[in-house]
């Protein structure tokens, strides 16, 4: 199958140089890189995981009142 992809010029040049250094063509290089990525399996997208609050559950929620606490004092 034939397809067309657009690569940024610097990426294309690096891939072309790597392919030449390996004694192959840019097509072979892209094919090998694609196959390697597909064999690695799916990568879990970090943005797709939902964050549940509170991140650190408390055994006694609401016990500590931090309304008047100056957090800047911790950084000083």
């Amino acid at each position: 199958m034939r397809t067309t992809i657009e690569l940024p010029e610097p990426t294309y040049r690096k891939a072309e140089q790597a392919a030449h250094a390996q004694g192959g063509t840019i097509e072979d290089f892209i094919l090998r890189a694609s196959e390697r990525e597909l064999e690695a399996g799916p990568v879990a997208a970090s943005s797709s995981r939902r964050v549940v609050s509170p991140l650190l559950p408390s055994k006694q929620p609401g016990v500590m009142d931090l309304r008047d606490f100056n957090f800047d004092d911790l950084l000083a």
Side-chain angles (χ1 to χ4, degrees):
M1 172 181 268
R2 188 182 243 338
T3 190
T4 301
I5 60 170
E6 291 185 28
L7 297 173
E9 188 71 25
T11 302
Y12 178 81
R13 294 288 171 221
K14 285 180 184 178
E16 192 174 43
Q17 289 172 354
H20 180 71
Q22 295 172 7
T25 65
I26 185 73
E27 291 84 4
D28 293 334
F29 180 81
I30 292 173
L31 179 61
R32 284 193 311 275
S34 298
E35 289 173 342
R36 193 168 43 247
E37 283 295 314
L38 292 171
E39 287 173 4
V43 176
S46 60
S47 63
S48 67
R49 292 183 44 193
R50 187 173 186 166
V51 176
V52 179
S53 292
L55 297 178
L56 301 172
S58 173
K59 292 180 183 176
Q60 299 175 344
V63 173
M64 186 177 275
D65 184 8
L66 298 175
R67 283 181 285 194
D68 295 326
F69 185 77
N70 186 355
F71 286 94
D72 290 333
D73 290 342
L74 293 175
L75 301 174

